[in-house]
């Protein structure tokens, strides 16, 4: 891997193409790994955006921050190893990495931000550490092969569209500290058969389970107060909601349509 210095300089200044990006676009992962070690503590925003030939990468221990959209649309990226030094993964970091099959998030990370793994359509397995407290909007939207995921007990919030169109997801247990199932959280999860809601859930948001055609039963917690519009719309296999409490004071339009 060799380039004339003057050519490299012109690429960097005028086209914003760096040697590490050139290496990534040629899928020279050994050079990429080597250059990453020289970058300091951050993989910058958009650094590998659209590097469609990159198939694997190892995040070195010197890196603490993976920037926004750092690996977005790296459509052939199959293998990612994230060092335990990483404490922040930016939004859209792996958005559109449609060949990524599995990934482990280190325990140094506390948030999975919006769209982080959106459209990772080959993702089957993800390891989420107990340190995670928040999962952002659309975090796993369109992860159509994700069939099971274990959410940590530390999680306090599941945001809008978090598991939207996760068509292979069959079951999920919502952690005990979550109080709201947000808008469209599980919308389009057509294989979802069972879900366990914790005792502190007070609200099921609009379209939360819309289109969950395999969902047969759901047990409502005694704390439940609100069932939003279209919350269970299109749940054609749903036969009963167990334990629907008298505390429910609002059932939205077409909630069970």
């Amino acid at each position: 891997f060799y380039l004339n210095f003057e050519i490299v300089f012109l690429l960097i200044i005028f086209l914003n193409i760096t040697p590490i990006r050139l290496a990534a676009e040629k899928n020279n992962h050994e050079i990429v790994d080597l250059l990453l070690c020289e970058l300091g503590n951050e993989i910058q925003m958009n650094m590998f955006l659209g590097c469609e030939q990159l198939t694997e990468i190892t995040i070195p221990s010197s890196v603490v921050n993976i920037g926004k959209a750092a690996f977005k649309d790296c459509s052939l990226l199959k293998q990612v190893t994230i060092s335990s030094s990483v404490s922040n993964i930016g939004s859209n970091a792996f958005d559109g990495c449609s060949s990524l099959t599995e990934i482990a998030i280190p325990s140094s990370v506390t948030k999975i931000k919006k769209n982080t793994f959106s459209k990772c359509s080959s993702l089957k397995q993800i390891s989420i550490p107990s340190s995670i407290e928040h999962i952002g909007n659309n975090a796993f939207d369109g992860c159509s092969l994700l069939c099971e995921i274990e959410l940590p007990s530390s999680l306090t919030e599941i945001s809008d569209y978090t598991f939207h169109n996760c068509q292979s997801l069959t079951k999920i247990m919502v952690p005990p500290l979550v109080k709201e199932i947000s808008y469209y959280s599980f919308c389009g999860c057509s294989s979802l058969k069972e879900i366990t809601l914790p005792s502190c859930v007070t609200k099921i948001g609009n379209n939360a389970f819309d289109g969950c055609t395999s969902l047969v039963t759901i047990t409502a917690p005694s704390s439940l107060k609100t069932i939003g519009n279209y919350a269970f719309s299109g749940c054609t296999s749903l036969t009963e909601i167990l334990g629907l409490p008298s505390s429910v004071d609002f059932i939205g339009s077409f909630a069970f349509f």
Side-chain angles (χ1 to χ4, degrees):
F1 184 79
Y2 174 78
L3 282 174
N4 179 277
F5 176 78
E6 287 80 6
I7 295 176
V8 171
F9 181 78
L10 289 173
L11 288 170
I12 292 172
I13 297 300
F14 294 106
L15 299 179
N16 195 29
I17 300 176
T18 61
I20 194 169
R21 186 174 176 87
L22 287 172
E25 289 177 349
K26 292 179 178 293
N27 193 30
N28 194 330
H29 58 85
E30 292 180 353
I31 296 296
V32 171
D33 291 349
L34 180 63
L35 292 174
L36 275 177
C37 293
E38 304 299 322
L39 285 180
N41 64 0
E42 180 180 19
I43 296 177
Q44 295 178 355
M45 179 177 69
N46 300 335
M47 177 168 281
F48 297 99
L49 173 66
C51 288
E52 296 180 352
Q53 300 305 312
L54 185 65
T55 60
E56 62 180 278
I57 196 160
T58 299
I59 311 298
S61 58
S62 56
V63 172
V64 298
N65 179 53
I66 298 175
K68 180 180 179 181
F71 298 96
K72 187 177 187 294
D73 293 334
C74 292
S75 57
L76 293 183
L77 186 62
K78 295 180 180 179
Q79 183 177 339
V80 176
T81 304
I82 302 177
S83 170
S84 59
S85 61
V86 172
S87 59
N88 179 66
I89 301 175
S91 58
N92 300 82
F94 297 97
D95 182 2
C97 293
S98 55
S99 297
L100 189 65
T101 58
E102 61 179 285
I103 196 165
I105 299 172
S107 59
S108 47
V109 175
T110 59
K111 294 181 180 181
I112 299 175
K113 297 184 178 179
K114 65 178 183 179
N115 295 95
T116 301
F117 299 102
S118 178
K119 300 188 293 293
C120 290
S121 55
S122 297
L123 188 65
K124 295 180 179 179
Q125 184 176 348
I126 183 165
S127 176
I128 299 179
S130 59
S131 57
I132 296 295
E133 298 175 354
H134 171 81
I135 298 179
N137 294 353
N138 303 79
F140 299 99
D141 188 353
C143 293
S144 54
L145 294 184
L146 188 65
C147 59
E148 189 172 346
I149 189 167
E150 184 175 346
L151 300 176
S153 59
S154 55
L155 189 66
T156 59
E157 182 180 3
I158 299 175
S159 303
D160 300 347
Y161 293 88
T162 297
F163 297 102
H164 180 245
N165 282 339
C166 290
Q167 297 167 354
S168 299
L169 192 66
T170 58
K171 64 178 180 178
I172 197 160
M173 180 176 289
V174 179
L177 298 179
V178 173
K179 295 182 179 180
E180 179 179 345
I181 309 299
S182 297
Y183 294 177
Y184 295 87
S185 292
F186 298 95
C187 177
C189 294
S190 55
S191 298
L192 188 65
K193 295 180 179 179
E194 57 181 289
I195 185 164
T196 303
L197 300 178
S199 59
C200 62
V201 167
T202 60
K203 181 179 180 180
I204 298 175
N206 294 350
N207 302 81
F209 297 98
D210 187 354
C212 292
T213 55
S214 298
L215 190 63
V216 178
T217 61
I218 189 167
T219 302
S222 59
S223 55
L224 187 63
K225 294 182 178 180
T226 300
I227 299 175
N229 300 332
Y230 298 92
F232 296 95
S233 177
C235 294
T236 53
S237 299
L238 186 64
T239 57
E240 60 181 332
I241 297 182
L242 301 174
L244 190 65
S246 58
S247 58
V248 174
D249 54 24
F250 178 82
I251 298 178
S253 302
F254 303 103
F256 300 96
F257 179 72

